[in-house]
Amino acid sequence: MPHKVGFVVVSSSGHEDGFSARELMIHAPTVSGWRSPRFCQFPQEIVLQMVERCRIRKLQLLAHQYMISSKIEFYISESLPEYFMPYQAERFRRLGYVSLCDNEKTGCKARELKSVYVDAVGQFLKLIFHQNHANKYNIYNQVSLVAINIIGDPADFGDENNFTSREKLIDHYLGHSPHNPEDPALEGTYAGRSDYISPLDDLAFDMYQDPEVAQIIRRLDEKKREAVQKERYDHAKKLKQAIADLQKVGERLGRYEVEKRCAVEKEDYDLAKEKKQQMARYRAQVYEQLELHGLLQGELELRRPFALPPQPLAHPSSPHHWKPVPSLPRPEEMGAEDTFVDSVLQEKPSARTLTSSPRHSAVDQSLPAAGPAPRSHAEALPYDERPLPATRKQPGEAPVEPDVKEADNGDAQRGGISGEPEPLTEKALREASSAVDALGETLVAGAYSKMWSCREDALLALYKKLMEMPVGTPKEDLKNMLRASVFLIRRAIKDIVTSVFLASLKLLKMIITQFVPKHKLSKVETTHCVERAVPLLLARTGDSSARLRVMAVNFIQEMALFKEVKSLQLIPSYLVQPLKANASVHLAMSQVDLLARLLRDLGTESSGFTVDNVMKFAVSALEHRVYEVRETAVRVILDMYRQHPALTLEHLPPDDSSTRRNLLYKAIFEGFAKIDGRPTDAEIQAQKRAVRKEAEKQKKEEIKALQGQLAALKEMQAAVQVGRVASPGLAFTSDFPFHCSLCIFCGERSESFTEEGLDLHYWKHCLMLMRCDHCRQVVEISSLTEHLLTECDKRDGFGKCHRCSEAVPKEELPRHIRAKECSPAKSEKLANRCPLCHENFTPGEEAWKAHLMGPSGCTMNLRKTHILYKVAAPQQGKGPPASKSGSSGPKTGSKIPTPKGGLSKSSSRTHTRR
C-alpha cells in the first residue's frame, strides 16, 4: 500500500536567509518552506534523498501564493550522479514537468496544491524550478515551495505486500467495498486495495492539522485497525468517531496557531498570550474527553510537545526504521483562566470531515542518522508572512469552504456529554432576541449550537412545532413565529453541514406551501420568506461542494414552481441580474443554468421573465470568460427566438459577415436558420460548390466538343489545299466556308488567322477578350467577374458585392458596401452586367458583341478605344499589323507570346490554341 515516504534535503542551488530548503522536511500549518535567493538565476534546483529506495506513486506540491514558478521539472535517480559522487556516473532520469497557475484569479491570496501521479523507482529526486510568474507582490522575482510530499512503496519490499489478509478475502468474496462514497466523513479507515492512499498521508492533512493532534489521530487509527483485527467492533466504532472529531479539533488548533504567529509578527503580545491560553484550554478539554472515554492509554500522547511538528514518516514494515524522539514535558501556563467551552467529541462527523485510512505508520520518529537533524519547530521555523487560506484543494475534489462564522466561544459554558446545546452568548442573545421571544431560548440555542446534530435537531423541532400550530392562533403570533423561523432558516442555509442545510430547505418548503395557506396568512409573509431566503440560496449555488450546489439549484427551481411563489414573479427577477465580473465560476454557471431551466418551465407570459430582460442578460453572458456560461446563453437565445423571433433579433447585431466573424454569433444565426427551415451558411456554401463543380464539368464537356469541331475543320482545310494542288485551274468562290480563319468570339474573319495568327489575335486584338491584370490570363470580358472570384490565381483577394454582383478587392469591399455607390445588378434574364463600365444592358449573347464592339457600347473596353482613336486603322480581312520583318502576318514557326495556360476556361466560348 502506498504511504508517506520520509526524505532529507541533499542540496539546493540557493535560498533566502531563513528559508532554507531543509524547511521542506517539516509539514505543519505554520511552515514557510523554501524560498530562492532574490533576483536569482534560473533554473533553481533542489535534490531530495528518500529514506529508502522506493517506487514513487504520487508527488504533492504546495506552492506559494505569489512566488510561483511557471514550471517545475522532476528527475529521479537510483544514486547521486558523478558531480556529487565522482565514482558513480549515473545521471538523473527526467520524469516530466507540471505547470503552476499564475494565481491572478485569486489575487495571489491562495496557495495551489498540485498532485502529480507518477510511477518511477529511485532514491534521489531532483526538482528544477523555472522562471517565476510576474506579479506586483513578487518584487524580487523569487520562486518558493511551501511543502512537498512523497507517497510511494518500498522498491525492495519482500512478499509482505502479496499477503492477503482475512479482511481482504472477506471483502473480495462478499463483494463489499470498504468505502462509502456518499459520506466520506463516516467512511472506514481500512482499505483493502493495494493502491489505496490513506488521507492521513495526504499533504493537506499535515498542513492543516495541529501537529500534536495529527500524531494522536495516527495513533488512534492504528488502534482502530488493531480493534478491527481483534473483532472489537464497538471499540473500533468509538475510535472512528473520535478520529472524525479530532480532525475538526486539529484544524481549529492549526488556525489558532497561525493567528498566534500573526499576533507575534504584529507585536500584539496580549493577543498572542490569549491565543496560547485558548489553545491550551481547548487542548486540555479534548484530552480530558479522550481519557474519559478511555481512548488513550498512558501519558505519551498527552505529553507530546505541540510546538514540535511531526517528522517525515516511514512505513513500519520498511527496512529503514527511525528512532523515536523522547517525549518532552507539556508547556506551561495552563488553567489560569476559566475552562474553555467546546464539547467537540460529542458531535457526529460531518460530511466535510477528512476521512481516515489504514496506514502502518510510526508516530514518534525522527530523521535518519545519516541526515542532518532538524531543529525543533519552535526554533527552526520563521514566522509565516501570511496565514494559510481557509480552503484547500484535494485531487478530484472541490476546495472546502471556510467555516461559517460562529458566535464567540470565549464566554460559553461547557456542554454535557449528553449533547445538550450550550447556552447562548450575550452576542447571540442580542442578535436573536426576537427569535427567542417567539420560539423560546432552548430552541434558538440549539440552532446556534456548535454541534451540528443540535442545530439539525432544533430545525426539526421547529418544523414539528409549526406543523402542530392549531388553526385560530392569533395572526400576530403566527407572523412573529414565521419571521423568527425565517431568521433561523437564513442561518441554517449558510451552514456547511449537509444535513443542517437540508433541514433548512425542508422547513422553508413547509412554511411556504403548508403553514402560510393553512393559517391564511397574506402574500406579504410569503414574499418575506422568498426575499430573505433566495439571495442566500443563490449564493450556495456557487458552493465548492458539487452536492450542495445541486441541492440549492434544484430547490430554487422547485420553489419557483410553487403556486404560492409563482404568482409573485420574484425569483426570475433575481436570475436576470447581470453576472458579476468577480463572481465565482460555479455561481455564474448555476445562475445561467437556472435561468434556462425556469425559462422553459415558466415562459415569458406573466412569469417575471420578459424578452427584454432575458435577452439583455443572455447577450451580456455571451462575453463571460467561462465557456459553459457562453454556451448556455446561446441556448437561451435560441429558445427565445423560437417563441419571439422578431423581438429577439432587436437585441442582436445585424447578420452580416463582420458579425459572423464572432463564432458565437455565427452559431446563433445558423441556429436561427435551422429553426426557420432555411439553409445555413455552411449548407449554402456546399450548394454553391456543387453548382460550381457541375458548371465546370459542363464547360469541360463543351470545350472538348469544340476542340473536336476544330479538328474536323482542320481536316477539311487540309483536304481543300490538297485539291488546289491537284486542280490548279479550279477557282474557289469567295464565299467558301473557311471556318478556320474565323474568330469564334468577335466573328472577325481573316486569312491571316492561322494557328499562330489566331493566338496573336486572341492575345492582343479581339474586342471580346482581355488579359486579366492579376494572372495575365486571356479571358472573356463577359466572364471576368466569375474568373476573378473562382479561377484567378489571386481569387483569394476578391469578394463579391451583393448589391452590384461584381468582384471587388477584399480590402476595399467593406468601404464599397458602406458607400452604396454602385448601381444594383439585375437578374441575368433581365440584363447583362458589364464588369468594365459597370452598366446593365440588354440580355443575350449577341448583346455582348454589340456592347463591347459597337461604337455606342462600352467606353471602358481599351481594345475598342484603341482602334477608334488610331489614325490608320487596318482594314478588316487584311490581318493584324505587320511584324518587324514587314510580312503581312507572323512568320511561319515564329513564337507568339501566349499567356500561361492559354485562354481561360471560364466560358464555353473559350478557344485555346497551342
Side-chain angles (χ1 to χ4, degrees):
M1 179 186 300
H3 59 85
K4 194 168 188 173
V5 178
F7 62 86
V8 293
V9 176
V10 176
S11 69
S12 68
S13 53
H15 62 84
E16 185 179 355
D17 291 343
F19 298 92
S20 169
R22 295 187 183 279
E23 304 289 340
L24 298 175
M25 294 155 47
I26 303 170
H27 294 167
T30 55
V31 297
S32 300
W34 167 80
R35 188 176 295 180
S36 70
R38 297 180 178 184
F39 301 113
C40 61
Q41 296 279 334
F42 288 99
Q44 291 285 300
E45 178 180 302
I46 295 177
V47 178
L48 309 178
Q49 178 182 1
M50 289 164 279
V51 297
E52 57 187 326
R53 181 176 178 270
C54 66
R55 179 181 296 275
I56 301 176
R57 302 290 189 179
K58 182 178 180 181
L59 296 172
Q60 291 183 295
L61 307 173
L62 183 60
H64 195 269
Q65 60 264 33
Y66 59 84
M67 298 182 187
I68 308 169
S69 174
S70 59
K71 182 173 73 173
I72 301 178
E73 292 185 87
F74 301 96
Y75 293 79
I76 196 167
S77 176
E78 297 283 349
S79 59
L80 287 178
E82 56 185 350
Y83 52 84
F84 285 105
M85 302 176 66
Y87 300 104
Q88 296 187 18
E90 175 157 352
R91 297 185 178 274
F92 282 96
R93 176 169 59 89
R94 187 175 187 270
L95 299 179
Y97 73 92
V98 294
S99 299
L100 298 179
C101 175
D102 58 12
N103 220 4
E104 287 183 358
K105 291 183 178 179
T106 66
C108 298
K109 294 181 180 178
R111 294 171 175 173
E112 180 180 9
L113 177 59
K114 199 81 164 180
S115 296
V116 185
Y117 292 88
V118 296
D119 187 5
V121 177
Q123 192 170 1
F124 293 89
L125 181 68
K126 180 167 70 172
L127 287 77
I128 295 181
F129 299 81
H130 290 263
Q131 183 71 43
N132 62 289
H133 286 297
N135 57 66
K136 63 181 180 181
Y137 303 105
N138 193 2
I139 59 177
Y140 301 116
N141 292 331
Q142 295 170 276
V143 294
S144 176
L145 185 64
V146 179
I148 180 172
N149 190 32
I150 304 174
I151 297 177
D153 299 310
D156 300 326
F157 207 41
D159 296 332
E160 183 177 345
N161 280 344
N162 298 325
F163 175 76
T164 303
S165 66
R166 182 170 62 173
E167 289 81 1
K168 293 181 184 179
L169 289 174
I170 291 173
D171 286 334
H172 175 73
Y173 286 109
L174 295 182
H176 293 168
S177 173
H179 308 291
N180 180 10
E182 295 298 326
D183 193 358
L186 297 176
E187 181 181 354
T189 59
Y190 177 75
R193 300 198 310 269
S194 60
D195 59 346
Y196 178 77
I197 299 175
S198 169
L200 302 184
D201 288 336
D202 195 275
L203 181 59
F205 177 77
D206 282 325
M207 297 305 294
Y208 289 89
Q209 286 284 335
D210 174 74
E212 183 178 348
V213 175
Q215 300 280 24
I216 296 175
I217 290 175
R218 288 190 171 97
R219 183 64 64 87
L220 292 180
D221 184 66
E222 289 294 322
K223 291 190 174 185
K224 186 188 68 133
R225 200 170 62 82
E226 293 172 2
V228 171
Q229 291 176 348
K230 296 177 181 178
E231 299 185 353
R232 296 175 57 198
Y233 300 120
D234 290 338
H235 187 56
K237 181 179 179 181
K238 186 185 297 184
L239 288 168
K240 173 184 173 182
Q241 180 69 48
I243 289 171
D245 291 330
L246 274 174
Q247 288 176 343
K248 296 180 184 178
V249 172
E251 290 182 5
R252 177 176 294 184
L253 287 172
R255 288 198 299 271
Y256 289 162
E257 179 66 23
V258 172
E259 292 169 1
K260 185 184 74 173
R261 295 294 176 112
C262 291
V264 171
E265 279 188 346
K266 297 175 182 178
E267 298 187 356
D268 187 352
Y269 300 118
D270 291 336
L271 178 59
K273 179 180 178 181
E274 179 184 345
K275 288 295 177 183
K276 178 180 179 181
Q277 293 172 347
Q278 188 179 19
M279 291 173 64
R281 292 195 303 271
Y282 188 42
R283 196 184 303 273
Q285 176 195 347
V286 171
Y287 292 164
E288 182 180 348
Q289 292 285 342
L290 289 174
E291 288 182 328
L292 181 64
H293 292 281
L295 298 178
L296 288 178
Q297 298 176 0
E299 297 294 326
L300 177 62
E301 291 81 4
L302 301 184
R303 297 186 181 278
R304 288 280 299 164
F306 59 84
L308 184 65
Q311 307 299 336
L313 301 177
H315 204 276
S317 56
S318 165
H320 300 271
H321 279 257
W322 299 348
K323 297 180 180 180
V325 175
S327 60
L328 299 177
R330 295 181 59 183
E332 301 175 355
E333 298 185 25
M334 298 279 292
E337 302 179 6
D338 295 336
T339 306
F340 180 70
V341 180
D342 194 7
S343 111
V344 292
L345 295 179
Q346 299 165 14
E347 292 187 34
K348 297 179 182 178
S350 71
R352 294 275 188 181
T353 309
L354 291 174
T355 57
S356 307
S357 297
R359 189 179 172 300
H360 304 277
S361 62
V363 179
D364 302 320
Q365 296 172 340
S366 63
L367 295 172
R375 297 169 292 176
S376 69
H377 186 50
E379 299 172 353
L381 293 178
Y383 295 127
D384 197 3
E385 72 282 359
R386 294 171 183 261
L388 284 170
T391 60
R392 63 175 176 271
K393 186 174 182 181
Q394 295 278 3
E397 297 179 357
V400 179
E401 292 286 345
D403 291 342
V404 178
K405 183 178 180 182
E406 297 178 349
D408 182 18
N409 50 20
D411 301 326
Q413 301 299 319
R414 179 175 174 177
I417 300 300
S418 61
E420 291 295 327
E422 57 272 19
L424 289 170
T425 63
E426 291 184 8
K427 178 181 176 182
L429 278 171
R430 288 194 302 269
E431 183 182 277
S433 58
S434 59
V436 170
D437 294 340
L439 303 175
E441 185 173 351
T442 303
L443 195 149
V444 177
Y448 269 77
S449 174
K450 298 179 182 67
M451 294 182 290
W452 68 266
S453 56
C454 291
R455 299 196 297 270
E456 181 184 14
D457 292 342
L459 294 175
L460 297 178
L462 179 56
Y463 181 96
K464 184 179 179 182
K465 182 175 182 177
L466 294 180
M467 287 291 291
E468 294 174 352
M469 286 293 294
V471 177
T473 305
K475 286 285 195 295
E476 194 62 31
D477 294 343
L478 292 173
K479 290 180 182 179
N480 291 336
M481 292 188 67
L482 181 143
R483 292 177 181 257
S485 301
V486 171
F487 174 80
L488 297 182
I489 287 171
R490 280 172 53 82
R491 181 179 177 84
I493 286 175
K494 296 183 285 187
D495 204 297
I496 64 172
V497 179
T498 305
S499 57
V500 178
F501 178 70
L502 283 175
S504 70
L505 301 185
K506 180 181 177 182
L507 179 58
L508 179 61
K509 180 178 179 181
M510 185 274 293
I511 291 175
I512 295 175
T513 61
Q514 298 181 48
F515 184 79
V516 172
K518 175 183 176 182
H519 298 282
K520 298 181 181 179
L521 298 178
S522 65
K523 287 186 177 180
V524 175
E525 305 307 322
T526 305
T527 302
H528 176 78
C529 294
V530 175
E531 289 180 341
R532 300 293 288 168
V534 168
L536 296 178
L537 287 171
L538 284 173
R540 293 312 297 268
T541 63
D543 198 276
S544 58
S545 168
R547 185 181 179 189
L548 286 175
R549 285 200 307 272
V550 172
M551 289 178 184
V553 169
N554 290 340
F555 183 79
I556 294 174
Q557 183 181 10
E558 181 185 5
M559 183 168 63
L561 299 178
F562 293 162
K563 62 181 181 180
E564 297 82 5
V565 177
K566 185 177 179 181
S567 60
L568 300 176
Q569 302 180 15
L570 289 174
I571 294 180
S573 65
Y574 288 100
L575 298 180
V576 294
Q577 296 299 317
L579 297 173
K580 296 180 180 179
N582 59 348
S584 69
V585 173
H586 293 312
L587 187 61
M589 291 171 59
S590 298
Q591 182 176 341
V592 71
D593 181 56
L594 256 176
L595 184 141
R597 290 192 198 180
L598 287 179
L599 190 60
R600 288 193 295 268
D601 294 338
L602 301 175
T604 55
E605 298 295 332
S606 302
S607 64
F609 288 125
T610 64
V611 178
D612 185 62
N613 62 24
V614 171
M615 285 302 299
K616 285 181 179 178
F617 172 84
V619 171
S620 65
L622 291 176
E623 301 176 1
H624 200 272
R625 67 183 187 277
V626 179
Y627 169 75
E628 289 81 359
V629 173
R630 300 194 299 269
E631 187 179 35
T632 308
V634 171
R635 292 204 310 268
V636 169
I637 293 174
L638 295 178
D639 289 341
M640 293 300 298
Y641 184 81
R642 289 187 181 93
Q643 303 174 34
H644 310 282
L647 294 176
T648 301
L649 289 175
E650 291 179 0
H651 293 81
L652 297 174
D655 182 9
D656 53 28
S657 57
S658 61
T659 304
R660 283 181 176 255
R661 290 189 188 126
N662 186 313
L663 295 180
L664 287 175
Y665 282 113
K666 181 178 180 181
I668 289 171
F669 287 119
E670 290 192 351
F672 291 169
K674 289 182 179 179
I675 292 172
D676 295 338
R678 296 180 284 109
T680 64
D681 190 50
E683 292 172 346
I684 292 173
Q685 294 298 328
Q687 292 174 1
K688 287 183 178 179
R689 285 195 297 269
V691 170
R692 220 165 25 238
K693 188 175 180 181
E694 183 64 25
E696 289 175 358
K697 182 179 178 182
Q698 291 179 0
K699 288 177 191 175
K700 289 179 180 178
E701 292 176 354
E702 291 175 359
I703 291 172
K704 187 175 180 181
L706 286 173
Q707 288 175 344
Q709 294 175 10
L710 289 173
L713 288 173
K714 285 184 179 181
E715 291 178 1
M716 292 173 60
Q717 185 180 23
V720 169
Q721 291 175 350
V722 171
R724 281 179 174 177
V725 173
S727 305
L730 181 62
F732 288 92
T733 59
S734 60
D735 57 351
F736 186 85
F738 287 108
H739 295 289
C740 59
S741 61
L742 175 69
C743 173
I744 64 173
F745 296 103
C746 65
E748 182 180 353
R749 190 189 305 275
S750 175
E751 293 181 358
S752 64
F753 285 174
T754 61
E755 184 173 354
E756 291 81 5
L758 273 174
D759 281 338
L760 181 61
H761 174 72
Y762 296 151
W763 182 241
K764 289 188 176 182
H765 306 296
C766 183
L767 301 183
M768 300 294 291
L769 306 177
M770 70 174 291
R771 275 179 289 179
C772 175
D773 294 334
H774 305 282
C775 65
R776 309 306 297 168
Q777 198 170 7
V778 177
V779 297
E780 282 191 84
I781 297 174
S782 61
S783 62
L784 176 61
T785 298
E786 185 178 358
H787 167 78
L788 291 175
L789 293 174
T790 61
E791 295 180 350
C792 183
D793 293 344
K794 307 292 185 180
R795 58 183 177 273
D796 293 335
F798 287 89
K800 186 176 182 180
C801 172
H802 298 289
R803 179 181 173 87
C804 63
S805 301
E806 294 188 27
V808 181
K810 286 186 176 178
E811 60 269 15
E812 300 177 10
L813 186 59
R815 182 192 58 78
H816 176 87
I817 294 174
R818 286 195 302 270
K820 296 185 179 179
E821 295 177 352
C822 57
S823 60
K826 297 182 180 179
S827 170
E828 291 184 1
K829 295 181 180 179
L830 300 178
N832 291 326
R833 177 80 176 187
C834 179
L836 302 181
C837 63
H838 314 297
E839 296 292 337
N840 298 321
F841 58 91
T842 310
E845 293 291 335
E846 292 301 323
W848 276 107
K849 289 186 179 181
H851 179 72
L852 294 174
M853 300 174 62
S856 60
C858 180
T859 59
M860 303 300 294
N861 189 348
L862 297 180
R863 292 187 179 185
K864 185 179 75 170
T865 55
H866 174 72
I867 294 174
L868 290 176
Y869 290 101
K870 194 171 182 182
V871 178
Q875 297 181 3
Q876 184 174 350
K878 297 299 183 181
S883 63
K884 291 182 180 180
S885 62
S887 62
S888 62
K891 297 174 66 176
T892 304
S894 64
K895 297 293 184 178
I896 302 296
T898 57
K900 57 180 179 180
L903 293 173
S904 169
K905 299 181 180 179
S906 61
S907 171
S908 60
R909 300 189 303 276
T910 304
H911 178 58
T912 303
R913 303 184 66 88
R914 303 296 295 172

